[in-house]
Amino acid sequence: MPEPYDVITMGRIGVDIYPLQTGVPLTRVETFGKFLGGSPTNVAVAAARLGRRTAVVTRTGKDAFGDYLHQALGEFGVDDRWVTPVAEYPTPVTFCEIFPPDDFPLYFYRQPKAPDLEIHAEELDLDAVRAARVFWMTGTGLCAEPSRTATLTALRARSEAQAAEDGAARAAGTPCATVFDLDWRPMFWDGSQTAGHTSTAPARYREALAHATVAVGNLDECEIATGEREPHAAARALLAAGIELAVVKQGPAGVLAVHRDGTTAQIPPLPVDVVNGLGAGDAFGGALCHGLLAGWETERIMRYANAAGAIVASRLACSSAMPFPYEVEHALAAGAVTGAVTGTGEPGTPGAPTETGATGAAP
């Protein structure tokens, strides 16, 4: 069997069409940039930037934008072998507006249905999913069939494999995590937002939590998953649902991480002048995977992930803005995101002027 992947993510992919002008509504934007997008795909890119072997399980349209996404994944070093086309549906496109420091409206074009919701359970490479050192899935993958069944099938395969091999893996010191990114997007669920909130989504989330070892979400997402909004209460509820590590993101208040072993880390945000908060959560996720794989203690993981997210918040794009290890280390050493790491994310790019604000989430 081939060497296991460090990280396999599963879920959304699409093309981000971002304005190259900030503080301007879409009605007045004249120039745009095209980028790889989709939260779990960005997480795979972020982990790859940090030196991890990654792959993504998703689907695109059978169109030029789908071809572009394959090309971009290759350039970022993310394996695209499980990215397959769906002839019936176009590749999704997402637009945003950029009003620093904290207003980044998103406009999703995923109609009549996004191809990444057409992942079928019988097409999954479950051997690879079981073997991956970290498997990352999202709440959006639970919003519709056949993606819901496919996501739960992958989770069950992970859960069964971990139950069978847990003792040997722990004895060998091999990290193994199944991460549930709570990723609450009410517009993706059938029916009204209220109906999704009160019935279908919480039940689906509870079903998935039973198979995860790590849960990551902001306060809104934690409330959907647990009914709790106060950070410590939400973390306790996530642990009670069966996970080992609860990560509650609180925006300007920082991040709370609580481990089943009693370890707690409350980490303040890293100072940053925000350009675009979209993508910060995905950089946080890729860095979280990196820290879990490295076997770091919880506090160190959270500080590293916070720094990675802050760096991306200082940049315009998402996928191409993901930081390299030297950039994260520089931000940690400086205690803030400085001009040395506020470029585009590509090696050798200079810093750029930024606005003020706090980190945010990703499309």
Side-chain angles (χ1 to χ4, degrees):
M1 181 177 176
E3 181 182 353
Y5 288 87
D6 291 322
V7 181
I8 293 179
T9 69
M10 179 175 178
R12 284 203 311 282
I13 194 171
V15 178
D16 288 347
I17 307 294
Y18 281 5
L20 300 182
Q21 300 154 271
T22 63
V24 178
L26 283 180
T27 53
R28 292 171 48 201
V29 173
E30 296 182 354
T31 55
F32 296 84
K34 178 173 93 269
F35 306 95
L36 171 74
S39 182
T41 303
N42 283 340
V43 169
V45 171
R49 278 274 169 97
L50 296 173
R52 300 300 179 176
R53 182 169 179 255
T54 71
V56 61
V57 179
T58 189
R59 306 196 74 182
T60 71
K62 193 172 185 179
D63 52 28
F65 275 152
D67 294 340
Y68 161 72
L69 294 176
H70 279 279
Q71 174 186 316
L73 287 168
E75 291 172 353
F76 287 126
V78 177
D79 196 323
D80 65 348
R81 70 181 61 194
W82 298 304
V83 181
T84 57
V86 178
E88 295 85 354
Y89 303 122
T91 299
V93 174
T94 302
F95 287 84
C96 79
E97 292 175 309
I98 301 174
F99 297 101
D102 57 7
D103 186 18
F104 309 103
L106 283 167
Y107 304 88
F108 293 97
Y109 292 81
R110 292 170 60 86
Q111 300 299 328
K113 185 179 184 181
D116 54 58
L117 294 175
E118 281 292 304
I119 302 172
H120 292 262
E122 62 272 18
E123 297 172 351
L124 295 175
D125 185 341
L126 290 179
D127 287 339
V129 169
R130 292 186 190 98
R133 300 176 70 196
V134 174
F135 177 69
W136 180 286
M137 47 73 63
T138 77
T140 296
L142 304 172
C143 76
E145 293 291 3
S147 172
R148 179 184 302 128
T149 294
T151 302
L152 291 170
T153 297
L155 285 174
R156 291 189 191 102
R158 291 282 296 181
S159 188
E160 292 164 2
Q162 187 164 350
E165 301 174 5
D166 190 57
R170 289 185 187 277
T174 303
C176 181
T178 301
V179 184
F180 182 2
D181 176 3
L182 301 179
D183 183 43
W184 169 239
R185 306 282 179 172
M187 70 287 291
F188 295 162
W189 291 74
D190 292 336
S192 70
Q193 294 187 15
T194 301
H197 183 293
T198 58
S199 58
T200 309
R204 300 301 184 190
Y205 275 49
R206 287 193 297 272
E207 190 174 2
L209 280 170
H211 300 285
T213 61
V214 179
V216 184
N218 61 32
L219 296 178
D220 291 338
E221 294 164 341
C222 288
E223 186 176 15
I224 292 296
T226 68
E228 299 285 355
R229 188 171 181 85
E230 193 281 323
H232 288 272
R236 289 193 297 269
L238 289 169
L239 293 176
I243 66 166
E244 297 179 8
L245 176 64
V247 180
V248 182
K249 295 186 286 187
Q250 305 170 72
V255 61
L256 169 69
V258 182
H259 197 279
R260 181 174 295 281
D261 65 9
T263 302
T264 299
Q266 179 82 54
I267 308 299
L270 203 67
V272 57
D273 290 337
V274 171
V275 172
N276 184 0
L278 302 172
D282 300 336
F284 182 101
L288 170 65
C289 294
H290 179 65
L292 290 169
L293 289 163
W296 294 343
E297 62 181 11
T298 300
E299 181 173 344
R300 182 181 179 187
I301 294 173
M302 294 303 113
R303 290 191 185 280
Y304 195 94
N306 254 1
I311 290 169
V312 172
S314 75
R315 296 169 172 170
L316 179 67
C318 289
S319 53
S320 60
M322 296 302 168
F324 293 90
Y326 75 90
E327 295 176 305
V328 182
E329 296 296 342
H330 185 281
L332 287 169
V337 178
T338 65
V341 291
T342 55
T344 65
E346 299 298 338
T349 56
T354 61
E355 309 293 335
T356 58
T359 58

